[in-house]
Amino acid sequence: MMLSLVVPCYNEEAVLPETISRLTRLLEHLVENNLVDAGSHVIFVDDGSRDRTWQIIQDASANSQAVQGIKLSRNQGHQNALLAGLLDTKGDVAISVDADLQDDLDAIKKMILAHRQGSDIVFGVRKSRDTDTFFKRFTAEGYYRLLERFGVEVVFNHADYRLMSRRAIEALREFNEVNLFLRGIIPQLGFPSSIIYYDRAERFAGESKYPLGKMLALAWQGITSFSTVPLRMITALGFLISFVSFGITLWALFIRLFSDQAVPGWTSTVVPIYLLGGIQLLCIGIIGEYLAKTYMETKRRPHFFIEDRA
Ligand code: UDP
Ligand code: MG
């Protein structure tokens, strides 16, 4: 069984030398124990880094048979870099792991064993979020729950640390969507799957490449690319408001026809205008979001272009 490790890297010069040596040592260990074939390797995907990342990958590739590199022509974001690496693998099995050594590498061996037991996809799930800040833990777990509520199939607390078999990767290739949220797509592939729990450490070196803005963008992507619940909520809201308006209309007519107190009320004229105006704008905004997505999808833009290989 030939294993390809896929590692997306964006400005990771601080941590890469350590990552390279740990991963190559791990591969040697796996080969010695006959868990994987000798041709197994690591593919580092340089996601348009502006530091020495690509140079480090090139050097490592020149020094070691087990190291390969792909350089994307520009920064495409973590999800696209990961996809580029996965779709480029030739191995029987691929495991994606972050460059920052946060994910416990011992889980790789467990994933391979789970694959041998028949799993096409093995999800790495972190045991706890002790190493996260309160804010991150609270928002991340709340977000996974929200996704479940919205009917998006995700594996709770699973990020992008996972094993995929060749046929799972080939299935992933069939997904042509531009708005990429791998955590939502991969559970949809089906195939036998299992979960491995692991401890997540602090970043080994360097800073997070996921600032709040990128994190929110990914979160928004996850909802709008997979769920139509927000659209259904508009319909529900529309029903509710129509119902209330109907009641108000009846009441106004009753006052007008059966009493002599029909003072044209300023409040009852102006308030609904504001209220409805606001709600309509909100709804149009959400519809627009989906329209934008449809528009982007119809373009079928390529996800990446590989500029160089090592
Ligand atoms: N990454 C990437 N492109 C980006 C941002 C991040 O390839 O635009 C990579 C990064 O190098 C790392 C992984 O994605 O290997 C996860 O990023 P990071 O560890 O910074 O995220 P965090 O763990 O803080 O959520
Ligand atoms: Mg990280």
Side-chain angles (χ1 to χ4, degrees), residues 67-243:
V67 177
Q68 298 178 8
I70 294 176
K71 184 183 193 300
L72 301 189
S73 55
R74 50 161 292 183
N75 181 244
Q76 298 282 16
H78 178 215
Q79 300 288 294
N80 282 316
L82 205 55
L83 186 74
L86 285 172
L87 296 187
D88 199 62
T89 55
K90 308 268 179 325
D92 304 305
V93 161
I95 297 179
S96 50
V97 58
D98 287 352
D100 58 3
L101 298 171
Q102 278 191 287
D103 305 318
D104 181 12
L105 295 182
D106 291 342
I108 288 179
K109 200 167 169 178
K110 295 182 199 157
M111 286 180 183
I112 292 169
L113 293 174
H115 171 67
R116 288 193 155 187
Q117 302 283 316
S119 295
D120 277 275
I121 303 171
V122 185
F123 298 100
V125 172
R126 46 197 300 181
K127 274 184 207 148
S128 73
R129 286 188 171 267
D130 295 343
T131 50
D132 281 352
T133 58
F134 172 76
F135 174 74
K136 174 89 196 228
R137 196 181 328 159
F138 183 75
T139 50
E141 296 202 332
Y143 177 65
Y144 281 103
R145 295 224 168 77
L146 186 73
L147 281 180
E148 280 170 5
R149 272 278 172 90
F150 278 11
V152 186
E153 233 183 289
V154 282
V155 177
F156 194 73
N157 270 344
H158 161 69
D160 285 299
Y161 190 20
R162 73 176 84 80
L163 175 147
M164 294 178 79
S165 68
R166 172 61 27 206
R167 63 175 181 174
I169 295 168
E170 292 310 315
L172 177 65
R173 204 188 293 279
E174 308 283 311
F175 283 73
N176 284 316
E177 57 196 90
V178 174
N179 297 290
L180 199 62
F181 187 66
L182 291 173
R183 281 164 227 189
I185 295 175
I186 287 163
Q188 288 195 349
L189 299 178
F191 296 127
S193 64
S194 54
I195 289 177
I196 292 293
Y197 292 93
Y198 70 95
D199 285 311
R200 191 163 155 111
E202 304 270 357
R203 206 173 220 287
F204 181 78
E207 281 173 1
S208 173
K209 306 301 180 297
Y210 257 100
L212 189 64
K214 270 192 189 173
M215 220 166 75
L216 289 176
L218 184 71
W220 187 235
Q221 193 84 279
I223 294 173
T224 51
S225 298
F226 283 89
S227 176
T228 47
V229 171
L231 281 174
R232 245 171 269 141
M233 281 161 64
I234 297 176
T235 319
L237 195 67
F239 265 119
L240 185 75
I241 288 170
S242 311
F243 189 71

Side-chain angles (χ1 to χ4, degrees), residues 34-48:
N34 284 323
L35 282 165
V36 299
D37 285 355
S40 299
H41 51 269
V42 197
I43 301 175
F44 289 95
V45 184
D46 176 16
D47 185 17

